[in-house]
Amino acid sequence: MKAKPKRNPAIVWRLEKGMRELAWDRARKGEEYEDVGVLTLVLGETIHQLNLVGAEIWTRINGINTAEKIAAEIATLFQADPEEMHADVMAFLTDLEGKGWVTLSAGHGPQAPRWTAR
């Protein structure tokens, strides 16, 4: 079964204006971009920032995309080995799940009714 990550609806998030472009510009030039905060997450009274790779993953989490699809898209974006990227994306998603920011649910298709006829 394939994991379909879904964001915690209690998290408020935004892409920081201009920062995504700045990070991509640095990445294309071969400069350091990992320390640029691209996306801000707010949960309760805590604020967290994700870098470019984290932001690209986060924006693809929607409860429909599988982790495999997300990893394949990220591998293409960053011209990385697909198998390595899959492992990295799964580690990232597992970390986010541990923080309560996402849930990793398997795609089960339509659910059976929760009631039975008598």
Side-chain angles (χ1 to χ4, degrees):
M1 304 213 181
K2 298 183 183 239
K4 293 184 177 182
K6 185 175 180 180
R7 292 185 206 119
N8 177 340
I11 293 179
V12 176
W13 63 278
R14 72 170 183 234
L15 285 166
E16 295 301 333
K17 186 174 183 171
M19 299 310 285
R20 188 179 199 181
E21 293 78 13
L22 173 67
W24 270 115
D25 185 53
R26 286 185 179 180
R28 286 184 192 102
K29 292 177 181 176
E31 298 174 0
E32 293 293 318
Y33 62 89
E34 292 86 357
D35 61 340
V36 177
V38 172
L39 188 140
T40 301
L41 302 166
V42 180
L43 180 59
E45 295 181 11
T46 61
I47 298 173
H48 306 275
Q49 284 200 312
L50 299 180
N51 66 14
L52 182 60
V53 178
E56 292 295 346
I57 294 169
W58 182 264
T59 59
R60 288 165 171 76
I61 297 171
N62 60 12
I64 298 168
N65 290 333
T66 63
E68 290 78 11
K69 180 178 186 216
I70 294 169
E73 288 179 7
I74 300 303
T76 300
L77 274 176
F78 290 92
Q79 300 174 350
D81 177 78
E83 288 181 23
E84 243 179 73
M85 187 56 70
H86 182 265
D88 291 346
V89 167
M90 286 307 299
F92 181 72
L93 291 173
T94 300
D95 182 51
L96 294 185
E97 183 178 44
K99 294 177 180 179
W101 298 358
V102 301
T103 55
L104 298 176
S105 62
H108 296 294
Q111 290 186 341
R114 296 181 192 259
W115 50 267
T116 57
R118 292 186 182 211

PDB file of all heavy atoms in Angstrom, residues 66-94:
ATOM      1  N   THR A  66       0.863  10.358  -3.554  1.00  0.00           N
ATOM      2  CA  THR A  66       1.566   9.347  -2.770  1.00  0.00           C
ATOM      3  C   THR A  66       2.970   9.846  -2.455  1.00  0.00           C
ATOM      4  O   THR A  66       3.498  10.734  -3.149  1.00  0.00           O
ATOM      5  CB  THR A  66       1.676   8.015  -3.535  1.00  0.00           C
ATOM      6  OG1 THR A  66       2.462   8.227  -4.719  1.00  0.00           O
ATOM      7  CG2 THR A  66       0.310   7.453  -3.893  1.00  0.00           C
ATOM      8  N   ALA A  67       3.555   9.275  -1.435  1.00  0.00           N
ATOM      9  CA  ALA A  67       4.932   9.626  -1.091  1.00  0.00           C
ATOM     10  C   ALA A  67       5.850   9.307  -2.270  1.00  0.00           C
ATOM     11  O   ALA A  67       6.798  10.044  -2.536  1.00  0.00           O
ATOM     12  CB  ALA A  67       5.369   8.866   0.153  1.00  0.00           C
ATOM     13  N   GLU A  68       5.549   8.237  -2.996  1.00  0.00           N
ATOM     14  CA  GLU A  68       6.354   7.861  -4.155  1.00  0.00           C
ATOM     15  C   GLU A  68       6.289   8.932  -5.244  1.00  0.00           C
ATOM     16  O   GLU A  68       7.296   9.274  -5.853  1.00  0.00           O
ATOM     17  CB  GLU A  68       5.883   6.509  -4.720  1.00  0.00           C
ATOM     18  CG  GLU A  68       6.185   5.326  -3.835  1.00  0.00           C
ATOM     19  CD  GLU A  68       5.233   5.168  -2.642  1.00  0.00           C
ATOM     20  OE1 GLU A  68       4.185   5.855  -2.575  1.00  0.00           O
ATOM     21  OE2 GLU A  68       5.549   4.353  -1.765  1.00  0.00           O
ATOM     22  N   LYS A  69       5.101   9.462  -5.478  1.00  0.00           N
ATOM     23  CA  LYS A  69       4.949  10.520  -6.490  1.00  0.00           C
ATOM     24  C   LYS A  69       5.698  11.774  -6.061  1.00  0.00           C
ATOM     25  O   LYS A  69       6.382  12.411  -6.866  1.00  0.00           O
ATOM     26  CB  LYS A  69       3.473  10.838  -6.709  1.00  0.00           C
ATOM     27  CG  LYS A  69       3.252  11.927  -7.745  1.00  0.00           C
ATOM     28  CD  LYS A  69       1.789  12.211  -7.998  1.00  0.00           C
ATOM     29  CE  LYS A  69       1.712  13.193  -9.147  1.00  0.00           C
ATOM     30  NZ  LYS A  69       0.712  14.144  -9.108  1.00  0.00           N
ATOM     31  N   ILE A  70       5.550  12.137  -4.790  1.00  0.00           N
ATOM     32  CA  ILE A  70       6.245  13.314  -4.272  1.00  0.00           C
ATOM     33  C   ILE A  70       7.755  13.139  -4.434  1.00  0.00           C
ATOM     34  O   ILE A  70       8.444  14.032  -4.925  1.00  0.00           O
ATOM     35  CB  ILE A  70       5.874  13.571  -2.798  1.00  0.00           C
ATOM     36  CG1 ILE A  70       4.390  13.955  -2.687  1.00  0.00           C
ATOM     37  CG2 ILE A  70       6.782  14.642  -2.188  1.00  0.00           C
ATOM     38  CD1 ILE A  70       3.852  13.982  -1.276  1.00  0.00           C
ATOM     39  N   ALA A  71       8.272  11.975  -4.049  1.00  0.00           N
ATOM     40  CA  ALA A  71       9.716  11.714  -4.145  1.00  0.00           C
ATOM     41  C   ALA A  71      10.189  11.777  -5.592  1.00  0.00           C
ATOM     42  O   ALA A  71      11.255  12.335  -5.882  1.00  0.00           O
ATOM     43  CB  ALA A  71      10.049  10.361  -3.532  1.00  0.00           C
ATOM     44  N   ALA A  72       9.404  11.237  -6.519  1.00  0.00           N
ATOM     45  CA  ALA A  72       9.780  11.261  -7.938  1.00  0.00           C
ATOM     46  C   ALA A  72       9.841  12.700  -8.453  1.00  0.00           C
ATOM     47  O   ALA A  72      10.769  13.074  -9.186  1.00  0.00           O
ATOM     48  CB  ALA A  72       8.799  10.434  -8.759  1.00  0.00           C
ATOM     49  N   GLU A  73       8.867  13.525  -8.053  1.00  0.00           N
ATOM     50  CA  GLU A  73       8.867  14.930  -8.490  1.00  0.00           C
ATOM     51  C   GLU A  73      10.062  15.684  -7.906  1.00  0.00           C
ATOM     52  O   GLU A  73      10.701  16.482  -8.593  1.00  0.00           O
ATOM     53  CB  GLU A  73       7.561  15.606  -8.091  1.00  0.00           C
ATOM     54  CG  GLU A  73       6.376  15.137  -8.907  1.00  0.00           C
ATOM     55  CD  GLU A  73       5.058  15.787  -8.501  1.00  0.00           C
ATOM     56  OE1 GLU A  73       5.066  16.712  -7.656  1.00  0.00           O
ATOM     57  OE2 GLU A  73       4.022  15.373  -9.044  1.00  0.00           O
ATOM     58  N   ILE A  74      10.365  15.422  -6.648  1.00  0.00           N
ATOM     59  CA  ILE A  74      11.484  16.103  -5.993  1.00  0.00           C
ATOM     60  C   ILE A  74      12.807  15.651  -6.614  1.00  0.00           C
ATOM     61  O   ILE A  74      13.709  16.468  -6.841  1.00  0.00           O
ATOM     62  CB  ILE A  74      11.468  15.855  -4.468  1.00  0.00           C
ATOM     63  CG1 ILE A  74      10.173  16.371  -3.841  1.00  0.00           C
ATOM     64  CG2 ILE A  74      12.688  16.488  -3.789  1.00  0.00           C
ATOM     65  CD1 ILE A  74       9.879  17.838  -4.063  1.00  0.00           C
ATOM     66  N   ALA A  75      12.921  14.358  -6.915  1.00  0.00           N
ATOM     67  CA  ALA A  75      14.138  13.854  -7.562  1.00  0.00           C
ATOM     68  C   ALA A  75      14.357  14.543  -8.904  1.00  0.00           C
ATOM     69  O   ALA A  75      15.486  14.936  -9.231  1.00  0.00           O
ATOM     70  CB  ALA A  75      14.050  12.337  -7.739  1.00  0.00           C
ATOM     71  N   THR A  76      13.285  14.723  -9.663  1.00  0.00           N
ATOM     72  CA  THR A  76      13.391  15.402 -10.952  1.00  0.00           C
ATOM     73  C   THR A  76      13.791  16.867 -10.758  1.00  0.00           C
ATOM     74  O   THR A  76      14.684  17.366 -11.446  1.00  0.00           O
ATOM     75  CB  THR A  76      12.055  15.313 -11.726  1.00  0.00           C
ATOM     76  OG1 THR A  76      11.749  13.931 -11.946  1.00  0.00           O
ATOM     77  CG2 THR A  76      12.126  16.028 -13.046  1.00  0.00           C
ATOM     78  N   LEU A  77      13.142  17.545  -9.821  1.00  0.00           N
ATOM     79  CA  LEU A  77      13.446  18.965  -9.565  1.00  0.00           C
ATOM     80  C   LEU A  77      14.916  19.191  -9.221  1.00  0.00           C
ATOM     81  O   LEU A  77      15.531  20.142  -9.697  1.00  0.00           O
ATOM     82  CB  LEU A  77      12.606  19.484  -8.398  1.00  0.00           C
ATOM     83  CG  LEU A  77      11.218  20.000  -8.678  1.00  0.00           C
ATOM     84  CD1 LEU A  77      10.533  20.376  -7.364  1.00  0.00           C
ATOM     85  CD2 LEU A  77      11.246  21.192  -9.602  1.00  0.00           C
ATOM     86  N   PHE A  78      15.451  18.311  -8.370  1.00  0.00           N
ATOM     87  CA  PHE A  78      16.801  18.504  -7.867  1.00  0.00           C
ATOM     88  C   PHE A  78      17.825  17.618  -8.580  1.00  0.00           C
ATOM     89  O   PHE A  78      18.961  17.518  -8.133  1.00  0.00           O
ATOM     90  CB  PHE A  78      16.841  18.282  -6.350  1.00  0.00           C
ATOM     91  CG  PHE A  78      16.139  19.370  -5.601  1.00  0.00           C
ATOM     92  CD1 PHE A  78      14.798  19.259  -5.275  1.00  0.00           C
ATOM     93  CD2 PHE A  78      16.811  20.537  -5.247  1.00  0.00           C
ATOM     94  CE1 PHE A  78      14.133  20.268  -4.595  1.00  0.00           C
ATOM     95  CE2 PHE A  78      16.159  21.556  -4.573  1.00  0.00           C
ATOM     96  CZ  PHE A  78      14.820  21.425  -4.250  1.00  0.00           C
ATOM     97  N   GLN A  79      17.390  16.977  -9.658  1.00  0.00           N
ATOM     98  CA  GLN A  79      18.268  16.101 -10.442  1.00  0.00           C
ATOM     99  C   GLN A  79      19.019  15.128  -9.541  1.00  0.00           C
ATOM    100  O   GLN A  79      20.237  15.008  -9.594  1.00  0.00           O
ATOM    101  CB  GLN A  79      19.222  16.930 -11.293  1.00  0.00           C
ATOM    102  CG  GLN A  79      18.493  17.837 -12.262  1.00  0.00           C
ATOM    103  CD  GLN A  79      19.411  18.774 -13.019  1.00  0.00           C
ATOM    104  OE1 GLN A  79      20.590  18.908 -12.714  1.00  0.00           O
ATOM    105  NE2 GLN A  79      18.857  19.440 -14.011  1.00  0.00           N
ATOM    106  N   ALA A  80      18.251  14.436  -8.699  1.00  0.00           N
ATOM    107  CA  ALA A  80      18.812  13.503  -7.723  1.00  0.00           C
ATOM    108  C   ALA A  80      18.423  12.069  -8.092  1.00  0.00           C
ATOM    109  O   ALA A  80      17.488  11.847  -8.865  1.00  0.00           O
ATOM    110  CB  ALA A  80      18.294  13.840  -6.334  1.00  0.00           C
ATOM    111  N   ASP A  81      19.126  11.127  -7.521  1.00  0.00           N
ATOM    112  CA  ASP A  81      18.826   9.717  -7.730  1.00  0.00           C
ATOM    113  C   ASP A  81      17.442   9.415  -7.156  1.00  0.00           C
ATOM    114  O   ASP A  81      17.197   9.684  -5.973  1.00  0.00           O
ATOM    115  CB  ASP A  81      19.886   8.859  -7.036  1.00  0.00           C
ATOM    116  CG  ASP A  81      19.584   7.387  -7.148  1.00  0.00           C
ATOM    117  OD1 ASP A  81      19.833   6.816  -8.224  1.00  0.00           O
ATOM    118  OD2 ASP A  81      19.081   6.817  -6.147  1.00  0.00           O
ATOM    119  N   PRO A  82      16.522   8.864  -7.952  1.00  0.00           N
ATOM    120  CA  PRO A  82      15.155   8.616  -7.474  1.00  0.00           C
ATOM    121  C   PRO A  82      15.075   7.711  -6.242  1.00  0.00           C
ATOM    122  O   PRO A  82      14.276   7.968  -5.349  1.00  0.00           O
ATOM    123  CB  PRO A  82      14.470   7.960  -8.679  1.00  0.00           C
ATOM    124  CG  PRO A  82      15.255   8.420  -9.861  1.00  0.00           C
ATOM    125  CD  PRO A  82      16.669   8.557  -9.378  1.00  0.00           C
ATOM    126  N   GLU A  83      15.886   6.664  -6.186  1.00  0.00           N
ATOM    127  CA  GLU A  83      15.843   5.766  -5.025  1.00  0.00           C
ATOM    128  C   GLU A  83      16.340   6.455  -3.767  1.00  0.00           C
ATOM    129  O   GLU A  83      15.763   6.308  -2.694  1.00  0.00           O
ATOM    130  CB  GLU A  83      16.648   4.500  -5.306  1.00  0.00           C
ATOM    131  CG  GLU A  83      15.973   3.574  -6.304  1.00  0.00           C
ATOM    132  CD  GLU A  83      16.770   2.303  -6.547  1.00  0.00           C
ATOM    133  OE1 GLU A  83      17.572   1.922  -5.679  1.00  0.00           O
ATOM    134  OE2 GLU A  83      16.560   1.709  -7.617  1.00  0.00           O
ATOM    135  N   GLU A  84      17.420   7.217  -3.908  1.00  0.00           N
ATOM    136  CA  GLU A  84      17.943   7.969  -2.770  1.00  0.00           C
ATOM    137  C   GLU A  84      16.925   9.004  -2.296  1.00  0.00           C
ATOM    138  O   GLU A  84      16.701   9.181  -1.102  1.00  0.00           O
ATOM    139  CB  GLU A  84      19.229   8.691  -3.176  1.00  0.00           C
ATOM    140  CG  GLU A  84      20.449   8.245  -2.432  1.00  0.00           C
ATOM    141  CD  GLU A  84      21.674   9.004  -2.909  1.00  0.00           C
ATOM    142  OE1 GLU A  84      21.805  10.212  -2.581  1.00  0.00           O
ATOM    143  OE2 GLU A  84      22.499   8.382  -3.585  1.00  0.00           O
ATOM    144  N   MET A  85      16.317   9.691  -3.258  1.00  0.00           N
ATOM    145  CA  MET A  85      15.337  10.720  -2.912  1.00  0.00           C
ATOM    146  C   MET A  85      14.130  10.113  -2.237  1.00  0.00           C
ATOM    147  O   MET A  85      13.587  10.682  -1.296  1.00  0.00           O
ATOM    148  CB  MET A  85      14.929  11.516  -4.153  1.00  0.00           C
ATOM    149  CG  MET A  85      14.052  12.705  -3.826  1.00  0.00           C
ATOM    150  SD  MET A  85      14.760  13.873  -2.616  1.00  0.00           S
ATOM    151  CE  MET A  85      16.085  14.597  -3.558  1.00  0.00           C
ATOM    152  N   HIS A  86      13.706   8.925  -2.692  1.00  0.00           N
ATOM    153  CA  HIS A  86      12.568   8.262  -2.048  1.00  0.00           C
ATOM    154  C   HIS A  86      12.874   8.001  -0.583  1.00  0.00           C
ATOM    155  O   HIS A  86      12.047   8.267   0.291  1.00  0.00           O
ATOM    156  CB  HIS A  86      12.201   6.961  -2.767  1.00  0.00           C
ATOM    157  CG  HIS A  86      11.031   6.283  -2.171  1.00  0.00           C
ATOM    158  ND1 HIS A  86      11.150   5.289  -1.230  1.00  0.00           N
ATOM    159  CD2 HIS A  86       9.700   6.482  -2.341  1.00  0.00           C
ATOM    160  CE1 HIS A  86       9.940   4.900  -0.853  1.00  0.00           C
ATOM    161  NE2 HIS A  86       9.049   5.605  -1.515  1.00  0.00           N
ATOM    162  N   ALA A  87      14.072   7.501  -0.304  1.00  0.00           N
ATOM    163  CA  ALA A  87      14.463   7.234   1.088  1.00  0.00           C
ATOM    164  C   ALA A  87      14.493   8.538   1.891  1.00  0.00           C
ATOM    165  O   ALA A  87      14.011   8.584   3.034  1.00  0.00           O
ATOM    166  CB  ALA A  87      15.824   6.547   1.134  1.00  0.00           C
ATOM    167  N   ASP A  88      15.044   9.601   1.300  1.00  0.00           N
ATOM    168  CA  ASP A  88      15.125  10.887   1.999  1.00  0.00           C
ATOM    169  C   ASP A  88      13.742  11.478   2.254  1.00  0.00           C
ATOM    170  O   ASP A  88      13.472  12.001   3.338  1.00  0.00           O
ATOM    171  CB  ASP A  88      15.970  11.882   1.202  1.00  0.00           C
ATOM    172  CG  ASP A  88      17.445  11.521   1.165  1.00  0.00           C
ATOM    173  OD1 ASP A  88      17.875  10.657   1.957  1.00  0.00           O
ATOM    174  OD2 ASP A  88      18.169  12.100   0.329  1.00  0.00           O
ATOM    175  N   VAL A  89      12.867  11.406   1.255  1.00  0.00           N
ATOM    176  CA  VAL A  89      11.509  11.949   1.414  1.00  0.00           C
ATOM    177  C   VAL A  89      10.757  11.155   2.475  1.00  0.00           C
ATOM    178  O   VAL A  89      10.070  11.734   3.322  1.00  0.00           O
ATOM    179  CB  VAL A  89      10.750  11.968   0.065  1.00  0.00           C
ATOM    180  CG1 VAL A  89       9.269  12.228   0.271  1.00  0.00           C
ATOM    181  CG2 VAL A  89      11.354  13.029  -0.851  1.00  0.00           C
ATOM    182  N   MET A  90      10.884   9.847   2.476  1.00  0.00           N
ATOM    183  CA  MET A  90      10.197   9.032   3.483  1.00  0.00           C
ATOM    184  C   MET A  90      10.722   9.346   4.885  1.00  0.00           C
ATOM    185  O   MET A  90       9.939   9.428   5.829  1.00  0.00           O
ATOM    186  CB  MET A  90      10.340   7.539   3.175  1.00  0.00           C
ATOM    187  CG  MET A  90       9.491   7.081   2.005  1.00  0.00           C
ATOM    188  SD  MET A  90       7.733   7.520   2.125  1.00  0.00           S
ATOM    189  CE  MET A  90       7.244   6.672   3.622  1.00  0.00           C
ATOM    190  N   ALA A  91      12.025   9.558   5.013  1.00  0.00           N
ATOM    191  CA  ALA A  91      12.594   9.925   6.324  1.00  0.00           C
ATOM    192  C   ALA A  91      12.041  11.278   6.767  1.00  0.00           C
ATOM    193  O   ALA A  91      11.681  11.454   7.945  1.00  0.00           O
ATOM    194  CB  ALA A  91      14.116   9.958   6.247  1.00  0.00           C
ATOM    195  N   PHE A  92      11.953  12.223   5.842  1.00  0.00           N
ATOM    196  CA  PHE A  92      11.422  13.551   6.146  1.00  0.00           C
ATOM    197  C   PHE A  92       9.955  13.451   6.567  1.00  0.00           C
ATOM    198  O   PHE A  92       9.542  14.033   7.579  1.00  0.00           O
ATOM    199  CB  PHE A  92      11.579  14.453   4.914  1.00  0.00           C
ATOM    200  CG  PHE A  92      11.093  15.860   5.099  1.00  0.00           C
ATOM    201  CD1 PHE A  92      11.787  16.763   5.881  1.00  0.00           C
ATOM    202  CD2 PHE A  92       9.941  16.292   4.469  1.00  0.00           C
ATOM    203  CE1 PHE A  92      11.344  18.075   6.038  1.00  0.00           C
ATOM    204  CE2 PHE A  92       9.489  17.595   4.611  1.00  0.00           C
ATOM    205  CZ  PHE A  92      10.189  18.492   5.405  1.00  0.00           C
ATOM    206  N   LEU A  93       9.163  12.706   5.799  1.00  0.00           N
ATOM    207  CA  LEU A  93       7.740  12.553   6.117  1.00  0.00           C
ATOM    208  C   LEU A  93       7.536  11.835   7.449  1.00  0.00           C
ATOM    209  O   LEU A  93       6.652  12.202   8.229  1.00  0.00           O
ATOM    210  CB  LEU A  93       7.017  11.804   4.997  1.00  0.00           C
ATOM    211  CG  LEU A  93       6.887  12.563   3.678  1.00  0.00           C
ATOM    212  CD1 LEU A  93       6.318  11.643   2.602  1.00  0.00           C
ATOM    213  CD2 LEU A  93       6.048  13.820   3.830  1.00  0.00           C
ATOM    214  N   THR A  94       8.355  10.855   7.722  1.00  0.00           N
ATOM    215  CA  THR A  94       8.262  10.134   8.997  1.00  0.00           C
ATOM    216  C   THR A  94       8.588  11.071  10.157  1.00  0.00           C
ATOM    217  O   THR A  94       7.924  11.039  11.201  1.00  0.00           O
ATOM    218  CB  THR A  94       9.203   8.919   8.993  1.00  0.00           C
ATOM    219  OG1 THR A  94       8.812   8.056   7.911  1.00  0.00           O
ATOM    220  CG2 THR A  94       9.142   8.153  10.297  1.00  0.00           C
TER     221      THR A  94
END
